[in-house]
Amino acid sequence: MEPETTPLLLTDVSGHVENKYKSIWNDFCEESNRLWKIAGPAIFTALCQYSLGALTQTFTGLVDEVDLAAVAVENSVVAGFAFGFMLGMGSALETLCGQAFGAGQIRMLGIYMQRSWVILLTTACILSVVYVFATPILLLVGETEEISAVAGKFALWMLPQLFAYALNFPIQKFLQAQRKVSVMAWISFAVLIFHAFFSWLLILKLGWGLVGAAITLNTSWWLIVIGQLGYIFYTKSDGAWSGFSWLAFSDLWGFIKLSLASAVMLCLEFWYLMLIIVITGHLKNPLIPVDAVSICLNIQGWDVMIALGFNAAISVRVSNELGAGNAKLAKLAVWVVSVTCMVIGVICFAVVLATREYFPYLFTNSDAVAKETSKVAIMLAFTVLLNGLQPVLSGVAVGAGWQALVAYINIGSYYIVGLPAAILLGFTLNLGPEGIWAGMLVGVVLQTSILIWVTSSRNWIKEAKEAESRVQKWGGSSVIPEE
């Protein structure tokens, strides 16, 4: 009997192992499918909205060099500052709406969105001071008088965009939490087509210059807001919208604290790499290094849009599953998105390295600038590799509600370690823009490493319980059965 039993046992063990791996693969594929349904449209939306400012710069640059510089400075410094802060404030809704939706408390999503509107519109009123005094602020940071004057005038004309941000970001988080990302994608695409045509018509054909740029850019952002609101008001968003309510003005302090934590966390990330160009401007003979860094940051910007799509997707997945009490699925979602994004990061890393001698000529005719860009592109390649994981981990943090913790991690990693390292390598060791970027990269590596440790060491059952408490605190009911 012995000889017959042994092969049978080996067959059973082999079959068990095979079934186990097949089950893991099936779970991975199912979660990957859920992830891409959110990430795909979210990436497309981010690219369309990023293209609004990029197209405005392109058309303006065909008219006048000073106007181009003014639009670029307003977009990157003034509007960039406001965009980062408002996006961060609005990201508090990723935690609250996502967990409430997962918990089945659909009615609270509209209330949360209205509370966020109150906070962000108030914030927009405060930030409008930056737009009004843009000229002296730009002079203070070292911009030329000519560019500062024109950019300051353009910033005043762009005040309507600031208030569009205040409404748009809460709306997007409201829709993302319900996985209604395709609606945002279609609206953004339609507005992008409108924007491209009217930018050509007003800026080039009619010769309105900066006035035409301001009209089209403001109008496009408000069309996005109006289109999304029209969808929400018409469909009632499956019960998530039940009309305006005075409840929007209750529990504001808790919202403000979470919103500020979200803003600090995301702004510290959003502004960090932007500092590279500011620091590079203080090198001796900075023109060529600044041009080279600007080209690499342009590539980085497009790559970040892809990362932001996955950031939104994992935030939705984690917050939904924690809100529903599904700790196991939340953990699975983190692993699946991490593997997916690292594969994409490796591909982007290889593409940048393989094309570093060629892509600079898409942006410049100067051999000196192209040569310097090729050198800096090595650091860019490692940056896009890290972009495969770092924004995803930040999305996990937002979905789970760890914004305050990550804000402290970002301060330590970026500004206590990374920034001094950039100054040391770039100036003290005379490594130029490559050294500055490498130093900043040290901060990103440290922050990513800490976030990996934080994410992998978390007790996800405990996180689900905390999500239950958060939903109860702001109007929900218990959804997690006692064990």
Side-chain angles (χ1 to χ4, degrees), residues 279-313:
I279 299 172
T280 304
H282 288 83
L283 291 170
K284 292 180 180 178
N285 304 315
L287 183 59
I288 290 175
V290 167
D291 284 348
V293 168
S294 298
I295 290 171
C296 287
L297 284 176
N298 197 323
I299 301 294
Q300 158 80 357
W302 292 104
D303 184 67
V304 165
M305 292 305 105
I306 298 174
L308 283 178
F310 284 104
N311 177 292

PDB file of all heavy atoms in Angstrom, residues 279-313:
ATOM      1  N   ILE A 279      16.306  76.790  -6.748  1.00  0.00           N
ATOM      2  CA  ILE A 279      17.688  76.629  -6.276  1.00  0.00           C
ATOM      3  C   ILE A 279      18.661  76.704  -7.453  1.00  0.00           C
ATOM      4  O   ILE A 279      19.718  77.336  -7.365  1.00  0.00           O
ATOM      5  CB  ILE A 279      17.854  75.293  -5.526  1.00  0.00           C
ATOM      6  CG1 ILE A 279      16.941  75.266  -4.301  1.00  0.00           C
ATOM      7  CG2 ILE A 279      19.290  75.086  -5.090  1.00  0.00           C
ATOM      8  CD1 ILE A 279      16.900  73.916  -3.609  1.00  0.00           C
ATOM      9  N   THR A 280      18.301  76.083  -8.556  1.00  0.00           N
ATOM     10  CA  THR A 280      19.177  76.090  -9.738  1.00  0.00           C
ATOM     11  C   THR A 280      19.410  77.507 -10.247  1.00  0.00           C
ATOM     12  O   THR A 280      20.488  77.828 -10.767  1.00  0.00           O
ATOM     13  CB  THR A 280      18.567  75.222 -10.864  1.00  0.00           C
ATOM     14  OG1 THR A 280      18.343  73.902 -10.370  1.00  0.00           O
ATOM     15  CG2 THR A 280      19.494  75.145 -12.061  1.00  0.00           C
ATOM     16  N   GLY A 281      18.412  78.362 -10.082  1.00  0.00           N
ATOM     17  CA  GLY A 281      18.538  79.751 -10.521  1.00  0.00           C
ATOM     18  C   GLY A 281      19.608  80.537  -9.782  1.00  0.00           C
ATOM     19  O   GLY A 281      19.986  81.628 -10.213  1.00  0.00           O
ATOM     20  N   HIS A 282      20.111  79.986  -8.665  1.00  0.00           N
ATOM     21  CA  HIS A 282      21.155  80.665  -7.900  1.00  0.00           C
ATOM     22  C   HIS A 282      22.564  80.152  -8.247  1.00  0.00           C
ATOM     23  O   HIS A 282      23.545  80.565  -7.621  1.00  0.00           O
ATOM     24  CB  HIS A 282      20.898  80.497  -6.400  1.00  0.00           C
ATOM     25  CG  HIS A 282      19.732  81.301  -5.908  1.00  0.00           C
ATOM     26  ND1 HIS A 282      18.423  80.859  -6.018  1.00  0.00           N
ATOM     27  CD2 HIS A 282      19.663  82.519  -5.322  1.00  0.00           C
ATOM     28  CE1 HIS A 282      17.608  81.769  -5.515  1.00  0.00           C
ATOM     29  NE2 HIS A 282      18.330  82.787  -5.085  1.00  0.00           N
ATOM     30  N   LEU A 283      22.661  79.226  -9.214  1.00  0.00           N
ATOM     31  CA  LEU A 283      23.978  78.789  -9.679  1.00  0.00           C
ATOM     32  C   LEU A 283      24.635  79.906 -10.487  1.00  0.00           C
ATOM     33  O   LEU A 283      23.966  80.813 -10.979  1.00  0.00           O
ATOM     34  CB  LEU A 283      23.843  77.537 -10.560  1.00  0.00           C
ATOM     35  CG  LEU A 283      23.409  76.228  -9.882  1.00  0.00           C
ATOM     36  CD1 LEU A 283      23.088  75.187 -10.947  1.00  0.00           C
ATOM     37  CD2 LEU A 283      24.509  75.719  -8.950  1.00  0.00           C
ATOM     38  N   LYS A 284      25.965  79.834 -10.640  1.00  0.00           N
ATOM     39  CA  LYS A 284      26.650  80.764 -11.524  1.00  0.00           C
ATOM     40  C   LYS A 284      26.257  80.434 -12.970  1.00  0.00           C
ATOM     41  O   LYS A 284      26.184  79.265 -13.347  1.00  0.00           O
ATOM     42  CB  LYS A 284      28.165  80.638 -11.361  1.00  0.00           C
ATOM     43  CG  LYS A 284      28.680  81.111 -10.007  1.00  0.00           C
ATOM     44  CD  LYS A 284      30.184  80.960  -9.913  1.00  0.00           C
ATOM     45  CE  LYS A 284      30.696  81.427  -8.552  1.00  0.00           C
ATOM     46  NZ  LYS A 284      32.160  81.242  -8.422  1.00  0.00           N
ATOM     47  N   ASN A 285      26.014  81.463 -13.769  1.00  0.00           N
ATOM     48  CA  ASN A 285      25.574  81.270 -15.159  1.00  0.00           C
ATOM     49  C   ASN A 285      24.412  80.281 -15.225  1.00  0.00           C
ATOM     50  O   ASN A 285      24.517  79.194 -15.795  1.00  0.00           O
ATOM     51  CB  ASN A 285      26.731  80.772 -16.031  1.00  0.00           C
ATOM     52  CG  ASN A 285      27.926  81.701 -15.980  1.00  0.00           C
ATOM     53  OD1 ASN A 285      27.775  82.912 -16.073  1.00  0.00           O
ATOM     54  ND2 ASN A 285      29.118  81.129 -15.817  1.00  0.00           N
ATOM     55  N   PRO A 286      23.256  80.647 -14.642  1.00  0.00           N
ATOM     56  CA  PRO A 286      22.174  79.684 -14.461  1.00  0.00           C
ATOM     57  C   PRO A 286      21.298  79.420 -15.689  1.00  0.00           C
ATOM     58  O   PRO A 286      20.473  78.516 -15.649  1.00  0.00           O
ATOM     59  CB  PRO A 286      21.330  80.326 -13.362  1.00  0.00           C
ATOM     60  CG  PRO A 286      21.522  81.799 -13.584  1.00  0.00           C
ATOM     61  CD  PRO A 286      22.933  81.955 -14.057  1.00  0.00           C
ATOM     62  N   LEU A 287      21.458  80.204 -16.777  1.00  0.00           N
ATOM     63  CA  LEU A 287      20.508  80.124 -17.885  1.00  0.00           C
ATOM     64  C   LEU A 287      20.381  78.705 -18.441  1.00  0.00           C
ATOM     65  O   LEU A 287      19.280  78.164 -18.539  1.00  0.00           O
ATOM     66  CB  LEU A 287      20.920  81.089 -19.004  1.00  0.00           C
ATOM     67  CG  LEU A 287      19.952  81.160 -20.204  1.00  0.00           C
ATOM     68  CD1 LEU A 287      18.566  81.582 -19.748  1.00  0.00           C
ATOM     69  CD2 LEU A 287      20.489  82.108 -21.261  1.00  0.00           C
ATOM     70  N   ILE A 288      21.504  78.097 -18.799  1.00  0.00           N
ATOM     71  CA  ILE A 288      21.463  76.745 -19.378  1.00  0.00           C
ATOM     72  C   ILE A 288      20.972  75.710 -18.359  1.00  0.00           C
ATOM     73  O   ILE A 288      20.093  74.898 -18.677  1.00  0.00           O
ATOM     74  CB  ILE A 288      22.838  76.356 -19.965  1.00  0.00           C
ATOM     75  CG1 ILE A 288      23.115  77.194 -21.220  1.00  0.00           C
ATOM     76  CG2 ILE A 288      22.888  74.869 -20.304  1.00  0.00           C
ATOM     77  CD1 ILE A 288      24.488  76.977 -21.813  1.00  0.00           C
ATOM     78  N   PRO A 289      21.495  75.712 -17.103  1.00  0.00           N
ATOM     79  CA  PRO A 289      20.976  74.757 -16.114  1.00  0.00           C
ATOM     80  C   PRO A 289      19.480  74.914 -15.854  1.00  0.00           C
ATOM     81  O   PRO A 289      18.759  73.916 -15.720  1.00  0.00           O
ATOM     82  CB  PRO A 289      21.797  75.087 -14.852  1.00  0.00           C
ATOM     83  CG  PRO A 289      23.054  75.662 -15.359  1.00  0.00           C
ATOM     84  CD  PRO A 289      22.673  76.432 -16.591  1.00  0.00           C
ATOM     85  N   VAL A 290      18.992  76.172 -15.789  1.00  0.00           N
ATOM     86  CA  VAL A 290      17.558  76.397 -15.544  1.00  0.00           C
ATOM     87  C   VAL A 290      16.730  75.850 -16.706  1.00  0.00           C
ATOM     88  O   VAL A 290      15.685  75.217 -16.504  1.00  0.00           O
ATOM     89  CB  VAL A 290      17.265  77.899 -15.318  1.00  0.00           C
ATOM     90  CG1 VAL A 290      15.766  78.172 -15.396  1.00  0.00           C
ATOM     91  CG2 VAL A 290      17.799  78.339 -13.962  1.00  0.00           C
ATOM     92  N   ASP A 291      17.180  76.096 -17.947  1.00  0.00           N
ATOM     93  CA  ASP A 291      16.466  75.564 -19.116  1.00  0.00           C
ATOM     94  C   ASP A 291      16.435  74.030 -19.076  1.00  0.00           C
ATOM     95  O   ASP A 291      15.398  73.410 -19.355  1.00  0.00           O
ATOM     96  CB  ASP A 291      17.140  76.034 -20.405  1.00  0.00           C
ATOM     97  CG  ASP A 291      16.823  77.483 -20.731  1.00  0.00           C
ATOM     98  OD1 ASP A 291      15.909  78.035 -20.092  1.00  0.00           O
ATOM     99  OD2 ASP A 291      17.487  78.064 -21.604  1.00  0.00           O
ATOM    100  N   ALA A 292      17.569  73.424 -18.726  1.00  0.00           N
ATOM    101  CA  ALA A 292      17.651  71.959 -18.681  1.00  0.00           C
ATOM    102  C   ALA A 292      16.723  71.384 -17.614  1.00  0.00           C
ATOM    103  O   ALA A 292      15.983  70.418 -17.859  1.00  0.00           O
ATOM    104  CB  ALA A 292      19.094  71.524 -18.403  1.00  0.00           C
ATOM    105  N   VAL A 293      16.730  71.993 -16.430  1.00  0.00           N
ATOM    106  CA  VAL A 293      15.860  71.532 -15.343  1.00  0.00           C
ATOM    107  C   VAL A 293      14.394  71.739 -15.711  1.00  0.00           C
ATOM    108  O   VAL A 293      13.534  70.894 -15.414  1.00  0.00           O
ATOM    109  CB  VAL A 293      16.217  72.265 -14.028  1.00  0.00           C
ATOM    110  CG1 VAL A 293      15.150  72.027 -12.969  1.00  0.00           C
ATOM    111  CG2 VAL A 293      17.575  71.794 -13.513  1.00  0.00           C
ATOM    112  N   SER A 294      14.089  72.861 -16.381  1.00  0.00           N
ATOM    113  CA  SER A 294      12.700  73.136 -16.794  1.00  0.00           C
ATOM    114  C   SER A 294      12.185  72.065 -17.744  1.00  0.00           C
ATOM    115  O   SER A 294      11.034  71.615 -17.636  1.00  0.00           O
ATOM    116  CB  SER A 294      12.616  74.508 -17.463  1.00  0.00           C
ATOM    117  OG  SER A 294      12.990  75.529 -16.580  1.00  0.00           O
ATOM    118  N   ILE A 295      13.033  71.645 -18.675  1.00  0.00           N
ATOM    119  CA  ILE A 295      12.634  70.592 -19.622  1.00  0.00           C
ATOM    120  C   ILE A 295      12.351  69.288 -18.876  1.00  0.00           C
ATOM    121  O   ILE A 295      11.340  68.618 -19.120  1.00  0.00           O
ATOM    122  CB  ILE A 295      13.732  70.389 -20.687  1.00  0.00           C
ATOM    123  CG1 ILE A 295      13.789  71.602 -21.622  1.00  0.00           C
ATOM    124  CG2 ILE A 295      13.468  69.114 -21.503  1.00  0.00           C
ATOM    125  CD1 ILE A 295      14.976  71.591 -22.575  1.00  0.00           C
ATOM    126  N   CYS A 296      13.233  68.940 -17.951  1.00  0.00           N
ATOM    127  CA  CYS A 296      13.048  67.696 -17.188  1.00  0.00           C
ATOM    128  C   CYS A 296      11.816  67.769 -16.293  1.00  0.00           C
ATOM    129  O   CYS A 296      11.095  66.783 -16.124  1.00  0.00           O
ATOM    130  CB  CYS A 296      14.292  67.395 -16.352  1.00  0.00           C
ATOM    131  SG  CYS A 296      15.700  66.834 -17.330  1.00  0.00           S
ATOM    132  N   LEU A 297      11.551  68.956 -15.725  1.00  0.00           N
ATOM    133  CA  LEU A 297      10.350  69.117 -14.897  1.00  0.00           C
ATOM    134  C   LEU A 297       9.077  69.032 -15.739  1.00  0.00           C
ATOM    135  O   LEU A 297       8.031  68.596 -15.253  1.00  0.00           O
ATOM    136  CB  LEU A 297      10.398  70.444 -14.145  1.00  0.00           C
ATOM    137  CG  LEU A 297      11.337  70.502 -12.939  1.00  0.00           C
ATOM    138  CD1 LEU A 297      11.366  71.908 -12.352  1.00  0.00           C
ATOM    139  CD2 LEU A 297      10.914  69.499 -11.869  1.00  0.00           C
ATOM    140  N   ASN A 298       9.174  69.440 -17.010  1.00  0.00           N
ATOM    141  CA  ASN A 298       8.039  69.300 -17.919  1.00  0.00           C
ATOM    142  C   ASN A 298       7.688  67.821 -18.112  1.00  0.00           C
ATOM    143  O   ASN A 298       6.520  67.428 -18.018  1.00  0.00           O
ATOM    144  CB  ASN A 298       8.381  69.955 -19.265  1.00  0.00           C
ATOM    145  CG  ASN A 298       7.156  70.222 -20.112  1.00  0.00           C
ATOM    146  OD1 ASN A 298       6.230  69.437 -20.133  1.00  0.00           O
ATOM    147  ND2 ASN A 298       7.172  71.343 -20.826  1.00  0.00           N
ATOM    148  N   ILE A 299       8.718  67.013 -18.371  1.00  0.00           N
ATOM    149  CA  ILE A 299       8.509  65.558 -18.489  1.00  0.00           C
ATOM    150  C   ILE A 299       7.977  64.994 -17.177  1.00  0.00           C
ATOM    151  O   ILE A 299       7.050  64.171 -17.155  1.00  0.00           O
ATOM    152  CB  ILE A 299       9.838  64.856 -18.859  1.00  0.00           C
ATOM    153  CG1 ILE A 299      10.400  65.385 -20.184  1.00  0.00           C
ATOM    154  CG2 ILE A 299       9.645  63.336 -18.913  1.00  0.00           C
ATOM    155  CD1 ILE A 299       9.569  65.080 -21.383  1.00  0.00           C
ATOM    156  N   GLN A 300       8.559  65.466 -16.072  1.00  0.00           N
ATOM    157  CA  GLN A 300       8.118  65.024 -14.744  1.00  0.00           C
ATOM    158  C   GLN A 300       6.644  65.339 -14.524  1.00  0.00           C
ATOM    159  O   GLN A 300       5.900  64.552 -13.934  1.00  0.00           O
ATOM    160  CB  GLN A 300       8.987  65.724 -13.690  1.00  0.00           C
ATOM    161  CG  GLN A 300       8.415  65.822 -12.288  1.00  0.00           C
ATOM    162  CD  GLN A 300       8.584  64.551 -11.495  1.00  0.00           C
ATOM    163  OE1 GLN A 300       9.083  63.556 -12.009  1.00  0.00           O
ATOM    164  NE2 GLN A 300       8.164  64.584 -10.254  1.00  0.00           N
ATOM    165  N   GLY A 301       6.194  66.513 -15.024  1.00  0.00           N
ATOM    166  CA  GLY A 301       4.797  66.911 -14.851  1.00  0.00           C
ATOM    167  C   GLY A 301       3.827  65.936 -15.500  1.00  0.00           C
ATOM    168  O   GLY A 301       2.815  65.567 -14.908  1.00  0.00           O
ATOM    169  N   TRP A 302       4.143  65.504 -16.741  1.00  0.00           N
ATOM    170  CA  TRP A 302       3.275  64.544 -17.413  1.00  0.00           C
ATOM    171  C   TRP A 302       3.275  63.198 -16.666  1.00  0.00           C
ATOM    172  O   TRP A 302       2.233  62.550 -16.523  1.00  0.00           O
ATOM    173  CB  TRP A 302       3.726  64.341 -18.863  1.00  0.00           C
ATOM    174  CG  TRP A 302       3.513  65.548 -19.709  1.00  0.00           C
ATOM    175  CD1 TRP A 302       4.452  66.431 -20.140  1.00  0.00           C
ATOM    176  CD2 TRP A 302       2.259  66.043 -20.213  1.00  0.00           C
ATOM    177  NE1 TRP A 302       3.877  67.437 -20.883  1.00  0.00           N
ATOM    178  CE2 TRP A 302       2.533  67.222 -20.949  1.00  0.00           C
ATOM    179  CE3 TRP A 302       0.941  65.614 -20.113  1.00  0.00           C
ATOM    180  CZ2 TRP A 302       1.541  67.973 -21.573  1.00  0.00           C
ATOM    181  CZ3 TRP A 302      -0.046  66.357 -20.750  1.00  0.00           C
ATOM    182  CH2 TRP A 302       0.259  67.504 -21.465  1.00  0.00           C
ATOM    183  N   ASP A 303       4.440  62.785 -16.194  1.00  0.00           N
ATOM    184  CA  ASP A 303       4.536  61.526 -15.456  1.00  0.00           C
ATOM    185  C   ASP A 303       3.734  61.587 -14.160  1.00  0.00           C
ATOM    186  O   ASP A 303       3.088  60.613 -13.762  1.00  0.00           O
ATOM    187  CB  ASP A 303       6.009  61.213 -15.153  1.00  0.00           C
ATOM    188  CG  ASP A 303       6.183  59.861 -14.483  1.00  0.00           C
ATOM    189  OD1 ASP A 303       5.915  58.834 -15.143  1.00  0.00           O
ATOM    190  OD2 ASP A 303       6.586  59.824 -13.301  1.00  0.00           O
ATOM    191  N   VAL A 304       3.774  62.744 -13.504  1.00  0.00           N
ATOM    192  CA  VAL A 304       3.031  62.914 -12.248  1.00  0.00           C
ATOM    193  C   VAL A 304       1.527  62.779 -12.481  1.00  0.00           C
ATOM    194  O   VAL A 304       0.799  62.285 -11.610  1.00  0.00           O
ATOM    195  CB  VAL A 304       3.375  64.273 -11.600  1.00  0.00           C
ATOM    196  CG1 VAL A 304       2.365  64.645 -10.513  1.00  0.00           C
ATOM    197  CG2 VAL A 304       4.776  64.217 -10.998  1.00  0.00           C
ATOM    198  N   MET A 305       1.041  63.208 -13.650  1.00  0.00           N
ATOM    199  CA  MET A 305      -0.397  63.078 -13.935  1.00  0.00           C
ATOM    200  C   MET A 305      -0.825  61.606 -13.915  1.00  0.00           C
ATOM    201  O   MET A 305      -1.910  61.268 -13.450  1.00  0.00           O
ATOM    202  CB  MET A 305      -0.730  63.702 -15.297  1.00  0.00           C
ATOM    203  CG  MET A 305      -0.591  65.210 -15.351  1.00  0.00           C
ATOM    204  SD  MET A 305      -1.550  66.085 -14.082  1.00  0.00           S
ATOM    205  CE  MET A 305      -0.245  66.573 -12.949  1.00  0.00           C
ATOM    206  N   ILE A 306       0.039  60.726 -14.438  1.00  0.00           N
ATOM    207  CA  ILE A 306      -0.250  59.283 -14.387  1.00  0.00           C
ATOM    208  C   ILE A 306      -0.259  58.812 -12.941  1.00  0.00           C
ATOM    209  O   ILE A 306      -1.167  58.085 -12.504  1.00  0.00           O
ATOM    210  CB  ILE A 306       0.797  58.498 -15.198  1.00  0.00           C
ATOM    211  CG1 ILE A 306       0.750  58.916 -16.669  1.00  0.00           C
ATOM    212  CG2 ILE A 306       0.577  57.000 -15.061  1.00  0.00           C
ATOM    213  CD1 ILE A 306       1.851  58.306 -17.523  1.00  0.00           C
ATOM    214  N   ALA A 307       0.747  59.272 -12.187  1.00  0.00           N
ATOM    215  CA  ALA A 307       0.829  58.874 -10.777  1.00  0.00           C
ATOM    216  C   ALA A 307      -0.385  59.360  -9.989  1.00  0.00           C
ATOM    217  O   ALA A 307      -0.893  58.642  -9.117  1.00  0.00           O
ATOM    218  CB  ALA A 307       2.118  59.430 -10.167  1.00  0.00           C
ATOM    219  N   LEU A 308      -0.871  60.576 -10.305  1.00  0.00           N
ATOM    220  CA  LEU A 308      -2.033  61.113  -9.593  1.00  0.00           C
ATOM    221  C   LEU A 308      -3.283  60.279  -9.850  1.00  0.00           C
ATOM    222  O   LEU A 308      -4.153  60.167  -8.984  1.00  0.00           O
ATOM    223  CB  LEU A 308      -2.284  62.571 -10.005  1.00  0.00           C
ATOM    224  CG  LEU A 308      -1.355  63.627  -9.403  1.00  0.00           C
ATOM    225  CD1 LEU A 308      -1.699  65.013  -9.940  1.00  0.00           C
ATOM    226  CD2 LEU A 308      -1.438  63.625  -7.877  1.00  0.00           C
ATOM    227  N   GLY A 309      -3.387  59.708 -11.061  1.00  0.00           N
ATOM    228  CA  GLY A 309      -4.523  58.830 -11.356  1.00  0.00           C
ATOM    229  C   GLY A 309      -4.531  57.613 -10.454  1.00  0.00           C
ATOM    230  O   GLY A 309      -5.574  57.225  -9.912  1.00  0.00           O
ATOM    231  N   PHE A 310      -3.361  57.003 -10.266  1.00  0.00           N
ATOM    232  CA  PHE A 310      -3.270  55.852  -9.367  1.00  0.00           C
ATOM    233  C   PHE A 310      -3.413  56.278  -7.909  1.00  0.00           C
ATOM    234  O   PHE A 310      -3.946  55.533  -7.085  1.00  0.00           O
ATOM    235  CB  PHE A 310      -1.940  55.119  -9.576  1.00  0.00           C
ATOM    236  CG  PHE A 310      -1.915  54.277 -10.815  1.00  0.00           C
ATOM    237  CD1 PHE A 310      -1.237  54.692 -11.946  1.00  0.00           C
ATOM    238  CD2 PHE A 310      -2.597  53.069 -10.854  1.00  0.00           C
ATOM    239  CE1 PHE A 310      -1.234  53.912 -13.096  1.00  0.00           C
ATOM    240  CE2 PHE A 310      -2.602  52.279 -11.997  1.00  0.00           C
ATOM    241  CZ  PHE A 310      -1.912  52.708 -13.120  1.00  0.00           C
ATOM    242  N   ASN A 311      -2.935  57.474  -7.600  1.00  0.00           N
ATOM    243  CA  ASN A 311      -3.114  58.015  -6.248  1.00  0.00           C
ATOM    244  C   ASN A 311      -4.599  58.099  -5.909  1.00  0.00           C
ATOM    245  O   ASN A 311      -5.034  57.677  -4.830  1.00  0.00           O
ATOM    246  CB  ASN A 311      -2.460  59.408  -6.183  1.00  0.00           C
ATOM    247  CG  ASN A 311      -2.655  60.098  -4.843  1.00  0.00           C
ATOM    248  OD1 ASN A 311      -3.763  60.476  -4.484  1.00  0.00           O
ATOM    249  ND2 ASN A 311      -1.572  60.286  -4.120  1.00  0.00           N
ATOM    250  N   ALA A 312      -5.390  58.640  -6.855  1.00  0.00           N
ATOM    251  CA  ALA A 312      -6.835  58.746  -6.643  1.00  0.00           C
ATOM    252  C   ALA A 312      -7.475  57.363  -6.538  1.00  0.00           C
ATOM    253  O   ALA A 312      -8.338  57.119  -5.692  1.00  0.00           O
ATOM    254  CB  ALA A 312      -7.471  59.538  -7.788  1.00  0.00           C
ATOM    255  N   ALA A 313      -7.037  56.452  -7.416  1.00  0.00           N
ATOM    256  CA  ALA A 313      -7.632  55.112  -7.439  1.00  0.00           C
ATOM    257  C   ALA A 313      -7.406  54.357  -6.140  1.00  0.00           C
ATOM    258  O   ALA A 313      -8.340  53.771  -5.568  1.00  0.00           O
ATOM    259  CB  ALA A 313      -7.067  54.311  -8.621  1.00  0.00           C
TER     260      ALA A 313
END
